[in-house]
């Protein structure tokens, strides 16, 4: 046994830097909500939802009666002598009421399609947010598992160092 080197010289077995290292951010519900509100992809999906809701409102307005009004004022006159011009005035007014009676259900069909698309967009947004939250939870679990693995490694390292000292002492004593 004298010809074998069983020392740990040259091998870095220190884990002190890892033991003292802490995670820099602990995600809270407030922080996660803040991140969800700031991410551009989620903002784009929310804007798309608002746009779809406005488009549905516009399509629904096609089913409502429309009332239009107009007023016109006209005047004319002719004579070569300015003092003798006779003016003729005309006042016109119009009121127009349009009631959609039959459109072959095109507007209602379009509204239903838009509502389905809106629901689909809302579901995609909710799924994206859930996936984001899930990724954060996975990262937290991985961090916790890594901490536990580090603690186990430190314990095994201490046990190995103690076994090494014991073996060296037995080797020294003979």
């Amino acid at each position: 046994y004298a010809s074998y080197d069983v020392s740990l010289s040259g091998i870095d077995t220190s884990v002190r830097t890892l033991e003292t290292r802490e995670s820099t951010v602990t995600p809270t519900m407030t922080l996660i909500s803040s991140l969800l509100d700031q991410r551009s992809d989620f903002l784009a999906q929310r804007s798309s939802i608002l746009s779809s809701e406005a488009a549905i409102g516009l399509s629904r307005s096609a089913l409502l009666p429309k009332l239009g009004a107009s007023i016109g004022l006209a005047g004319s006159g002719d004579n070569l002598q300015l003092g003798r011009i006779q003016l003729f005035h005309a006042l016109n007014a119009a009121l127009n009421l349009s009631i959609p009676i039959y459109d072959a259900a095109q507007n209602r069909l379009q509204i239903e399609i838009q509502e389905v698309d809106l629901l689909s967009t809302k579901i995609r947004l909710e799924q994206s947010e859930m996936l984001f939250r899930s990724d954060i939870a996975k990262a937290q679990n991985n961090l916790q598992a890594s901490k536990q693995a580090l603690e186990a490694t430190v314990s095994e390292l201490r046990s190995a160092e103690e076994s090494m000292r014991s073996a060296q002492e037995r080797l020294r004593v003979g």
Side-chain angles (χ1 to χ4, degrees):
Y1 294 108
S3 61
Y4 295 105
D5 181 17
V6 290
S7 69
L8 297 177
S9 62
I11 300 174
D12 183 16
T13 60
S14 64
V15 290
R16 304 237 187 290
T17 57
L18 294 175
E19 288 178 311
T20 58
R21 187 175 251 172
E22 289 293 323
S23 60
T24 56
V25 176
T26 303
T28 61
M29 291 308 289
T30 306
L31 178 62
I32 293 171
S33 295
S34 172
L35 291 173
L36 287 172
D37 291 339
Q38 294 174 3
R39 283 193 42 169
S40 60
D41 54 341
F42 295 141
L43 289 173
Q45 284 181 328
R46 286 187 191 98
S47 295
S48 175
I49 288 171
L50 291 175
S51 172
S52 295
E53 288 172 344
I56 289 171
L58 186 62
S59 295
R60 282 194 175 127
S61 72
L63 300 174
L64 300 174
K66 293 174 182 62
L67 180 63
S70 63
I71 296 177
L73 178 63
S76 66
D78 62 355
N79 198 332
L80 294 176
Q81 296 177 355
L82 289 176
R84 293 189 169 178
I85 295 178
Q86 291 184 347
L87 296 176
F88 299 100
H89 297 288
L91 177 63
N92 297 322
L95 191 60
N96 184 9
L97 177 63
S98 172
I99 300 173
I101 297 174
Y102 180 73
D103 67 348
Q106 291 300 310
N107 284 329
R108 295 188 198 292
L109 181 63
Q110 182 180 3
I111 290 170
E112 287 180 16
I113 290 170
Q114 289 172 333
E115 287 175 341
V116 168
D117 289 343
L118 174 63
L119 183 60
S120 173
T121 303
K122 285 181 178 180
I123 289 171
R124 278 195 309 273
L125 174 62
E126 188 176 331
Q127 287 175 338
S128 298
E129 288 176 349
M130 291 172 117
L131 180 63
F132 182 73
R133 291 175 197 267
S134 172
D135 288 345
I136 291 172
K138 284 180 194 175
Q140 284 178 310
N141 289 340
N142 289 341
L143 180 63
Q144 188 64 28
S146 296
K147 284 181 181 179
Q148 291 173 351
L150 178 62
E151 290 170 1
T153 301
V154 168
S155 175
E156 290 173 5
L157 180 62
R158 288 184 184 136
S159 175
E161 287 172 346
E162 185 60 35
S163 295
M164 177 73 173
R165 280 192 291 276
S166 174
Q168 284 177 337
E169 185 62 27
R170 279 185 297 204
L171 183 63
R172 188 184 61 79
V173 171

